[in-house]
Amino acid sequence: MATRRSNLALVGLPGVGKSSLGRRLATTLNVPLLDLDRSIIASTGVPKDSVDEIFKREGEEGFRIRERSAVAALDEVAPPAGNVAAELGIGRIISLGGGTLVDPRNRWTLSQRARILWLDAPDAVIAGRLRTARVVRPLMSKGNPEASLRTLRTERSRFYAIGTRLESKKSPGTLSQPAIDLLRATPRTTGRMLLSAALPSGHWELGVGIAAESLVRALKVRNASRVVLVSEPNAERAIGGSIAAALKRAKINVIPLTLESGESAKQLTVIDEAARGLAAAGVERGDLLVAVGGGALSDTAGLLAALYLRGIDWVAVPTTLAAQLDASLGGKTGVDLPEGKNLVGAFHQPLAVIADLDALRTLPTREILAATGEAVKIALLGEDRLFTLLEEVAPRLVAGDPELHADGTYAEIVERAGWWKCNVVAADEREAGLRMSLNLGHTLGHALEQAANYKGILHGEAVGYGLRAALTIGVELGVTPAPRAARALALLDALGLGAAPRRESPAALVEATTHDKKVAGGKIRWVLPTAKSFVIRDDVPASLVLRAATQMLAGNTRGGGTR
Ligand SMILES: NC(=O)c1ccc[n+]([C@@H]2O[C@H](COP(=O)([O-])OP(=O)(O)OC[C@H]3O[C@@H](n4cnc5c(N)ncnc54)[C@H](O)[C@@H]3O)[C@@H](O)[C@H]2O)c1
């Protein structure tokens, strides 16, 4: 299907006036108006059906399945010739349901076939309209519409913000011309935005083909005229060219800094040399650092940004799956010591994280699979939809199916795992409690990486082994139900994670865990899966850790799996 984006989808909070503006726009532009909820209702074939009735009969899940098919069936509609619609390239107006954009696959499809217009107004204005509306909206029935609107705004702004925002206190029926003027003035981007979340830990943007445009926009907001562009050869090959060209077009001066690829960049000597390079180039506190690369690159470059001149601002452009769904989010930066991984570092949140899924197209399948180790971790912590999704697509991930780039699967994996992490970080940035849960699988995982001297094993692969050990310990202590452990092990097997036997000594691994960052008062705090979530325990007997490490190093001894 051609991606002309000839639909104009109106989104916004309930009561903001999407239907009213939609009708006016359709009349002014002389194009059809499609009400998505009505077409879903028509699909049931039940006379006098309604959204409420479908919810009652089929549950929300049933409605969402119908909604997803309705979105998937949306086609391109040619604009009528010779009027404003043709100039704007708009052939149809679509009024979406309140929750349509919440589903990552709906956003994926709509980003291909529609321009999105976010109609917005202050909460007090919308609440005023809800109070005087003829129809009683569910939001009103909760008694305090302003409070409900605030909650919904927090939950949904990141989805609405993928569109062009039209904010006005005026009656929506009068906004047809302002909407047309805004659309005319807004450049039609080649990239497709899927998520745009303004978070305390930095602005997180996720999309396809967005890196160069989004980066330039973020830098312009800061009036940046010069940046330190830190990257490494593989990331440069994947995405660096388009970024450098866009910075040049935007007349932003670049001080390039190329580090070694992979874990070997994560050393204090690298920081030392790089910082001296910045000093020699006269980099000032007002200059920004941009890190383009995987987790190793952003850990190192982020630490450089945290330390140079006691901290300069930085932007992360993650180019690996591991960095997009995990390492670039949350502001932890760091390098390794011979005594252990990530032992020197700082919390230093980037201003923005710009994740461009196009970068993943050049990533080797082994790197993709390793990154799923962190995704399985998030699934086990309680992201059930991610668990199911990974189970569904595991064979295709292992086969390196290129369709996964085209059908929105990677986008959904990154969004689900990344959003989970962002919420944890928002609740506990400095790892005083909840954030510790993100270390699930990392205690023996880090020990294994260290024992292997960070060679021949990728971080996510080590996490795969560590997750197996955490499951063994959890089952033996009676905190992980056996069926939950069996399901997780089956997923790890299907992804080939932690499946091959290893030669490291279990005793050496147990010794290495004592240098772990999660040790408090000499006791190791183990994150262990429960039926739906996790617990943290500091009373795991050394003998059990040794048994779990021994079993973990034996790999997948149960047969099955892919390797
Ligand atoms: N800070 C955090 O919160 C956090 C969280 C998880 C992991 N990490 C760290 O992240 C690192 C692992 O991340 P990673 O897997 O991204 O490692 P990485 O940065 O070493 O990248 C993996 C490999 O992919 C190559 N590469 C990068 N982008 C590419 C592209 N688009 N196409 C082809 N090849 C590309 C790199 O050159 C490298 O060889 C570890 O050091 C880990 O400790 C940090």
Side-chain angles (χ1 to χ4, degrees):
M1 180 177 296
T3 54
R4 295 189 306 270
R5 285 186 251 182
S6 62
N7 294 289
L8 178 69
L10 300 182
V11 303
L13 290 166
V16 74
K18 298 181 293 281
S19 310
S20 171
L21 175 60
R23 279 192 300 274
R24 290 295 169 106
L25 269 176
T27 309
T28 312
L29 297 176
N30 190 25
V31 295
L33 172 69
L34 177 89
D35 184 315
L36 195 74
D37 278 353
R38 287 216 186 114
S39 69
I40 295 167
I41 292 166
S43 76
T44 67
V46 177
K48 295 203 178 141
D49 215 357
S50 69
V51 172
D52 280 355
E53 284 301 319
I54 302 176
F55 264 67
K56 270 190 222 142
R57 217 175 36 242
E58 302 175 13
E60 173 163 5
E61 190 57 26
F63 179 82
R64 297 292 168 211
I65 291 168
R66 288 184 179 279
E67 185 178 54
R68 206 186 255 203
S69 328
V71 171
L74 288 174
D75 50 2
E76 300 277 2
V77 180
N83 75 0
V84 186
E87 182 204 328
L88 296 174
I90 293 169
R92 178 169 57 189
I93 312 289
I94 303 176
S95 174
L96 297 180
T100 313
L101 281 191
V102 176
D103 183 328
R105 296 305 170 105
N106 289 344
R107 256 176 292 127
W108 177 264
T109 308
L110 284 162
S111 74
Q112 287 173 320
R113 298 176 203 169
R115 292 174 81 179
I116 312 273
L117 184 67
W118 173 15
L119 180 60
D120 201 11
D123 291 345
V125 173
I126 307 176
R129 285 184 200 143
L130 286 169
R131 283 196 186 94
T132 52
R134 260 174 292 150
V135 198
V136 179
R137 301 273 199 146
L139 276 183
M140 280 302 290
S141 59
K142 293 196 178 122
N144 184 348
E146 271 100 338
S148 308
L149 285 166
R150 257 196 312 280
T151 309
L152 264 190
R153 184 179 290 281
T154 310
E155 283 168 6
R156 294 199 181 155
S157 286
R158 66 188 189 278
F159 310 134
Y160 299 152
I162 66 172
T164 305
R165 183 166 177 227
L166 173 63
E167 195 196 12
S168 176
K169 291 179 184 167
K170 291 190 186 150
S171 153
T174 67
L175 292 177
S176 176
Q177 194 54 46
I180 290 170
D181 294 343
L182 181 65
L183 290 169
R184 223 182 231 138
T186 309
R188 298 188 68 178
T189 58
T190 44
R192 293 158 46 204
M193 194 66 78
L194 296 165
L195 192 78
S196 177
L199 302 167
S201 53
H203 197 119
W204 180 29
E205 290 190 339
L206 172 68
V208 186
I210 61 162
E213 279 170 11
S214 286
L215 178 60
V216 168
R217 201 171 43 243
L219 296 176
K220 292 268 173 187
V221 169
R222 292 291 313 246
N223 288 325
S225 56
R226 187 166 70 162
V227 296
V228 181
L229 185 60
V230 189
S231 194
E232 50 87 12
N234 292 323
E236 269 165 15
R237 261 193 298 280
I239 200 171
S242 62
I243 287 179
L247 292 175
K248 196 170 171 195
R249 275 197 304 280
K251 301 199 177 7
I252 294 170
N253 290 323
V254 170
I255 298 171
L257 176 60
T258 303
L259 305 184
E260 271 184 43
S261 296
E263 201 69 25
S264 51
K266 287 182 61 168
Q267 290 181 40
L268 277 172
T269 49
V270 172
I271 298 282
D272 181 33
E273 197 180 318
R276 293 184 65 190
L278 300 198
V283 172
E284 300 170 1
R285 203 173 257 155
D287 295 324
L288 265 88
L289 185 149
V290 177
V292 180
L297 187 283
S298 61
D299 273 8
T300 312
L303 183 58
L304 176 62
L307 296 177
Y308 184 70
L309 298 181
R310 298 198 178 85
I312 61 172
D313 287 335
W314 71 299
V315 174
V317 183
T319 62
T320 63
L321 185 58
Q324 292 194 355
L325 63 76
D326 186 1
S328 67
L329 301 164
K332 272 191 186 178
T333 70
V335 292
D336 306 330
L337 292 182
E339 286 74 14
K341 203 169 150 62
N342 299 330
L343 285 187
V344 176
F347 289 93
H348 187 43
Q349 299 291 351
L351 291 178
V353 175
I354 298 165
D356 188 335
L357 294 152
D358 264 353
L360 305 184
R361 288 184 176 270
T362 48
L363 206 58
T365 301
R366 182 177 169 195
E367 296 285 349
I368 297 264
L369 289 175
T372 62
E374 298 282 8
V376 174
K377 171 193 82 181
I378 299 285
L380 257 174
L381 288 174
E383 220 300 6
D384 294 337
R385 299 292 283 260
L386 183 60
F387 211 141
T388 314
L389 174 64
L390 289 169
E391 288 172 329
E392 277 167 18
V393 299
R396 294 172 60 204
L397 285 164
V398 171
D401 182 353
E403 260 303 295
L404 294 168
H405 293 284
D407 66 10
T409 300
Y410 286 127
E412 184 165 352
I413 292 174
V414 172
E415 180 176 332
R416 288 196 182 282
W419 185 247
W420 183 279
K421 179 169 182 183
C422 287
N423 277 319
V424 171
V425 172
D428 173 27
E429 186 191 356
R430 297 282 164 144
E431 204 165 313
L434 184 65
R435 188 164 182 172
M436 244 183 281
S437 63
L438 300 176
N439 291 320
L440 172 59
H442 282 59
T443 308
L444 275 164
H446 277 164
L448 176 57
E449 273 183 283
Q450 191 190 339
N453 216 6
Y454 306 110
K455 295 204 168 61
I457 185 161
L458 302 175
H459 175 68
E461 291 172 343
V463 171
Y465 283 95
L467 288 173
R468 286 178 189 265
L471 290 163
T472 305
I473 294 171
V475 170
E476 287 220 19
L477 288 183
V479 300
T480 314
R484 180 76 168 170
R487 187 179 169 201
L489 287 173
L491 177 55
L492 290 167
D493 289 350
L495 291 164
L497 287 172
R502 308 268 325 170
R503 289 177 197 278
E504 286 79 8
S505 134
L509 257 61
V510 174
E511 157 62 19
T513 57
T514 58
H515 300 294
D516 198 271
K517 295 194 299 315
K518 294 166 288 297
V519 173
K523 288 184 168 177
I524 299 173
R525 285 170 296 178
W526 289 88
V527 187
L528 302 173
T530 57
K532 291 190 161 94
S533 175
F534 67 93
V535 288
I536 294 178
R537 296 275 294 252
D538 64 3
D539 60 345
V540 179
S543 55
L544 175 51
V545 177
L546 185 63
R547 264 202 318 282
T550 308
Q551 193 173 326
M552 169 187 107
L553 291 167
N556 169 18
T557 48
R558 301 165 320 126
T562 50
R563 337 182 219 165

